[in-house]
């Protein structure tokens, strides 16, 4: 296990540029499969989930090549329909090969997907959409086998606006005969980016004002070059880092428009954020928040652990109500070990701000929980040893590089620690 050593040393200062969006890169890399030709994906982050996805593509017989932050994907020939293997089993986004390969090849084998243990994370909605499009789906012991001689457009309504199920539906529908209508579709910016990428290739996709998606399948799809937007969750992570330890920083490519709600919440806490990405944090910030997470454009569940960390040393009592996942307060236990006053009851957390947290040996429970503990450690008194860096590396290109450039004392140590 690799681990981080972080010494809290006060306010941050400096400028950074945020990596490309993980949660846009993953569906778009799967989207390279729905048509022949070569796609160039620029600003594609060097993170483990992307590297796992490229490995899966290679095993399918797809040629990929990374040069710098650009990745080329040549999906002219696919030699395999099975996505199984350790790389696919450990990432949630391997489920997105269901729609893409069913659409392109008419058959697919995928493992039951992995991903962060932040809740039950079923895939029933994904399977419902595939069956609505005419696929036969067989749930075997540890994998899903789906086949369809010809996908037919359909009208389907999602019980919840699932990001992944929406993306899977889009990927299959672009290969289906006729029109597919997805009601209660997810509206996250990453879903919009997938649609923009597919439309650039020649797909016909329209979203009506009520959020319903209309996809007309079987359009000729060509090669394309597409540049990913900055990662709004990584940008939000660094906003919360400033909220935890103070300072004045600038995020050169802050995706402001996609972050209006979290930015507004942080502004009510006293964090200064402007359109150019200038961030000013004078501690202590103000707590006394009643916050509920929700689907876009609500407060993103992925920033909930980061805000939880920032509220630990904000003045007053706050409450967070997590409505998207059913087990996403695992970071609270590690924060309590650092001196935080957090009480978790079901899907609600009550936080009472304290003056300081103290350095401790803690363990990342998942990707965003690990990033939240990094933020808390930046503002804590003393040294923190954080195990489970592998989780953080799934979504952050180089959190040490980014935070060091803002003046933080953070180092990655290879090896085993008895955390
Ligand atoms: C995506 O996960 C993101 N991952 C998650 O980011 C993010 O937290 C989540 O969307 C919500 O915004 C990627 O894009 C790779 P969902 P996804 O389907 O698609 C329930 C990160 O840290 N549900 O929108 O798996 C589900 O249990 C990760 O970057 C069903 O009931 O999320 C959850 O309660 C963590 N049945 C809710 O919907 C289904 O078939 C939202 O899940 C699918 C989902």
């Amino acid at each position: 296990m690799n681990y981080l050593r972080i010494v809290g040393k006060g306010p941050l200062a400096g400028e950074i540029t945020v990596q490309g969006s993980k949660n846009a890169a993953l569906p778009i890399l799967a989207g390279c499969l729905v048509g022949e030709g070569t796609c160039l994906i620029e600003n594609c982050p060097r993170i483990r989930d992307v590297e796992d996805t490229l490995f899966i593509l290679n095993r399918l017989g797809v040629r990929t090549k990374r040069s710098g932050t650009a990745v080329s994907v040549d999906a002219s020939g696919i030699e395999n329909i099975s996505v199984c293997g350790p790389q696919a089993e450990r990432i949630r986004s391997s489920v997105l090969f269901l729609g893409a390969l069913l659409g392109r090849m008419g058959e697919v084998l995928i493992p039951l997907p992995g991903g962060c243990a932040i809740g039950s994370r079923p895939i029933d909605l994904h399977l419902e959409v595939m069956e609505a499009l005419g696929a036969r789906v067989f749930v075997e012991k540890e994998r899903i086998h789906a086949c369809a001689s010809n996908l037919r457009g359909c009208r389907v309504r999602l019980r919840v606006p699932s990001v992944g199920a929406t993306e899977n539906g889009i990927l299959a529908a672009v290969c289906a005969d006729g029109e597919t209508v997805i009601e209660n579709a997810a509206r996250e910016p990453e879903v919009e980016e997938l649609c923009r990428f597919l439309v650039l290739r020649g797909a016909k996709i329209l979203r009506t004002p009520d959020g319903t998606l209309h996809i007309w399948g079987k359009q000729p799809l060509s090669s394309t070059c597409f540049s990913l937007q900055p990662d709004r969750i990584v940008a939000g992570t660094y906003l919360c880092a400033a909220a935890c330890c103070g300072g004045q920083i600038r995020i050169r490519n802050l995706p402001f428009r996609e972050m209006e709600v979290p930015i507004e919440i942080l502004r009510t806490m006293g964090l200064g954020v402007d359109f150019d990405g200038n961030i000013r944090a004078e501690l202590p910030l103000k707590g006394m928040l009643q916050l509920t997470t929700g689907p876009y454009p609500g407060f993103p569940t992925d920033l909930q652990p980061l805000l939880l960390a920032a509220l630990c040393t904000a003045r007053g009592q706050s409450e967070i109500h997590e409505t998207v996942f059913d087990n996403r307060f695992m970071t609270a236990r590690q924060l309590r070990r650092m001196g935080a006053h957090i009480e978790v009851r079901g899907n609600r957390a009550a936080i009472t701000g304290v003056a300081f947290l103290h350095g401790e040996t803690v363990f990342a429970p998942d990707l965003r929980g690990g990033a939240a503990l990094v933020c808390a450690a930046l503002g804590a008194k003393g040294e923190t040893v954080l195990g489970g860096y592998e989780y953080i590396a799934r979504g952050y290109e180089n959190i040490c590089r980014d935070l060091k450039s803002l003046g933080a004392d953070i180092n990655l140590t290879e090896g085993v620690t008895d955390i």
Side-chain angles (χ1 to χ4, degrees), residues 76-346:
S76 311
I78 297 179
E79 300 152 5
N80 184 356
I81 55 107
S82 169
V83 176
C84 300
Q87 286 75 10
E89 287 159 13
R90 66 185 179 206
I91 61 173
R92 170 76 180 176
S93 54
S94 55
V95 72
L96 298 175
F97 285 100
L98 178 65
L101 279 174
L102 203 53
R104 173 75 183 274
M105 305 298 284
E107 187 177 9
V108 57
L109 273 170
I110 61 162
L112 291 175
C116 289
I118 51 180
S120 49
R121 306 197 82 179
I123 58 168
D124 56 315
L125 296 177
H126 297 247
L127 305 185
E128 273 173 35
V129 175
M130 295 306 120
E131 286 173 332
L133 284 161
R136 282 177 298 133
V137 177
F138 308 96
V139 182
E140 295 161 11
K141 204 155 69 70
E142 289 298 316
R143 65 184 194 178
I144 310 276
H145 181 201
C147 44
S149 49
N150 195 26
L151 294 173
R152 294 180 312 280
C154 68
R155 176 180 286 272
V156 65
R157 179 176 182 76
L158 296 180
R159 168 172 51 80
V160 294
S162 155
V163 171
T166 302
E167 291 167 342
N168 245 333
I170 293 165
L171 290 167
V174 295
C175 303
D177 278 327
E179 180 186 6
T180 296
V181 180
I182 305 178
E183 296 176 348
N184 199 27
R187 303 172 183 229
E188 270 67 6
E190 295 77 22
V191 176
E192 294 306 290
E193 271 199 87
L194 173 65
C195 292
R196 278 201 303 277
F197 166 72
L198 292 168
V199 165
L200 210 51
R201 296 197 71 182
K204 266 183 79 178
I205 305 173
L206 175 79
R207 192 189 285 269
T208 52
D210 69 352
T212 299
L213 280 172
H214 296 257
I215 302 117
W216 291 269
K218 289 257 193 323
Q219 305 294 318
L221 299 175
S222 60
S223 304
T224 193
C225 172
F226 188 83
S227 184
L228 296 172
Q229 288 296 304
D231 191 309
R232 62 189 172 106
I233 305 301
V234 172
T237 299
Y238 297 140
L239 289 179
C240 290
C244 285
C245 61
Q248 203 165 319
I249 66 172
R250 178 164 180 252
I251 298 175
R252 298 185 193 95
N253 58 341
L254 180 71
F256 193 98
R257 197 167 51 84
E258 288 79 12
M259 297 182 69
E260 283 181 6
V261 168
I263 285 173
E264 203 37 52
I265 293 294
L266 288 163
R267 278 174 163 169
T268 61
M269 293 174 62
L271 193 77
V273 187
D274 74 16
F275 199 77
D276 294 329
N278 296 298
I279 290 96
R280 175 192 296 272
E282 282 165 31
L283 302 187
L285 296 181
K286 184 166 72 69
M288 292 167 270
L289 267 187
Q290 296 291 323
L291 179 96
T292 300
T293 64
Y296 194 85
F299 188 92
T301 175
D302 291 349
L303 285 180
Q304 177 263 93
L306 287 302
L307 189 77
L308 185 70
L311 287 170
C312 289
T313 51
R315 286 194 318 274
Q317 304 253 353
S318 300
E319 181 180 273
I320 297 179
H321 180 197
E322 170 60 56
T323 67
V324 178
F325 288 108
D326 50 22
N327 183 27
R328 201 165 199 175
F329 283 122
M330 293 181 296
T331 316
R333 182 164 160 262
Q334 303 296 319
L335 289 167
R336 279 198 292 267
R337 296 182 58 201
M338 297 174 75
H341 288 187
I342 306 173
E343 211 176 319
V344 175
R345 284 213 183 90

